[in-house]
Amino acid sequence: MRVLIVEDEKVLADLLASGLRSAALAVDVCYDGLAAQEKITVHHYDVVVLDRDLPGLHGDRLCAQLAADASRTKVLMLTAAASLDDKVNGLDLGADDYLTKPFEFPELLARTRALGRRTQPSLPPVLTGSGVALDPARRQVSRDGRAVHLAPKEFAVLEILLRAGGAVVSAEQLLESAWDEHADPFTKAVRVTMSKLRSKLGEPTVIQTVPGVGYRIDPS
């Protein structure tokens, strides 16, 4: 899941990004509405966590633009505007969810994940393939009944491969979905993460390399 945080309070924005990344989400951050508008035209985001009172371009206008474009991106408004009228107005603008400040991070994480699931095709709660089982809600992975403990980025890559249902996923697609905008397309990050993931999942390897194309996991 790829998330854009749009928040002009830089300390808060950076703390949110750190927390979401630790939960295996790919996160970009910007501090004003115009920068967010530009990022949204370049990258696909599953969820935008959006403050309302932003410099450059007001959050309400950005939300309305996303709604007018019939974007699949879900909007979670995160704002100090807490009255009933504020909430109704924000949802009427096109926001998919509304969370007021102050808030608890576990709730924001849960709401973000819930919105992200709505951008994906309907899938079983536990993803499986080649003896591997991944539970996105509980953040648990097993191989033939054996618990496997993965780092956040390894978990994210495995989830993408299992969600592909046997289709080949390119390294570029993995970078776009599991890393943030600062990932170097020429980096070895995907290859290194894939090597660690294969090692933790054990033999025989379940992640197949399709030379010159990408990676896949047999869904059977």
Side-chain angles (χ1 to χ4, degrees):
M1 187 188 306
R2 188 161 185 177
V3 178
L4 176 64
I5 296 172
V6 192
E7 168 62 63
D8 64 334
E9 295 182 35
K10 294 187 177 183
V11 173
L12 174 60
D14 293 343
L15 284 173
L16 290 177
S18 178
L20 293 177
R21 286 170 183 149
S22 70
L25 278 63
V27 183
D28 295 337
V29 180
C30 54
Y31 310 110
D32 67 79
L34 288 175
Q37 185 181 50
E38 182 178 352
K39 288 183 188 294
I40 289 168
T41 63
V42 175
H43 304 289
H44 167 72
Y45 294 101
D46 298 292
V47 179
V48 174
V49 178
L50 180 66
D51 188 16
R52 296 186 76 171
D53 191 14
L54 293 169
L57 179 69
H58 198 279
D60 288 358
R61 288 187 59 191
L62 184 58
C63 181
Q65 287 177 9
L66 284 168
D69 292 340
S71 171
R72 289 178 55 206
T73 300
K74 304 301 181 184
V75 175
L76 170 57
M77 277 192 170
L78 180 65
T79 172
S83 73
L84 178 59
D85 286 344
D86 289 326
K87 295 176 182 178
V88 170
N89 177 254
L91 294 170
D92 282 346
L93 284 168
D96 300 279
D97 199 358
Y98 198 101
L99 183 61
T100 59
K101 302 174 183 175
F103 60 93
E104 297 293 334
F105 179 77
E107 181 179 5
L108 180 136
L109 175 59
R111 287 173 180 260
T112 301
R113 283 178 173 159
L115 289 176
R117 287 194 295 270
R118 289 165 54 185
T119 70
Q120 305 291 335
S122 179
L123 290 169
V126 176
L127 306 174
T128 60
S130 296
V132 175
L134 181 147
D135 186 333
R138 294 181 175 84
R139 316 307 290 173
Q140 294 176 348
V141 175
S142 64
R143 168 81 188 273
D144 297 325
R146 171 182 62 87
V148 180
H149 301 287
L150 301 180
K153 200 65 68 181
E154 296 159 2
F155 189 99
V157 168
L158 180 61
E159 183 174 357
I160 292 167
L161 291 174
L162 289 172
R163 284 187 182 277
V168 177
V169 181
S170 69
E172 291 76 14
Q173 289 173 308
L174 289 171
L175 278 172
E176 174 70 18
S177 299
W179 277 262
D180 60 32
E181 64 182 337
H182 301 296
D184 183 348
F186 301 104
T187 185
K188 296 181 180 179
V190 172
R191 190 181 307 168
V192 170
T193 300
M194 201 64 68
S195 176
K196 292 179 179 178
L197 182 55
R198 281 173 165 150
S199 176
K200 290 183 178 181
L201 291 174
E203 297 293 338
T205 184
V206 298
I207 302 175
Q208 304 168 13
T209 298
V210 181
V213 183
Y215 307 90
R216 68 181 296 272
I217 293 178
D218 191 330
S220 61

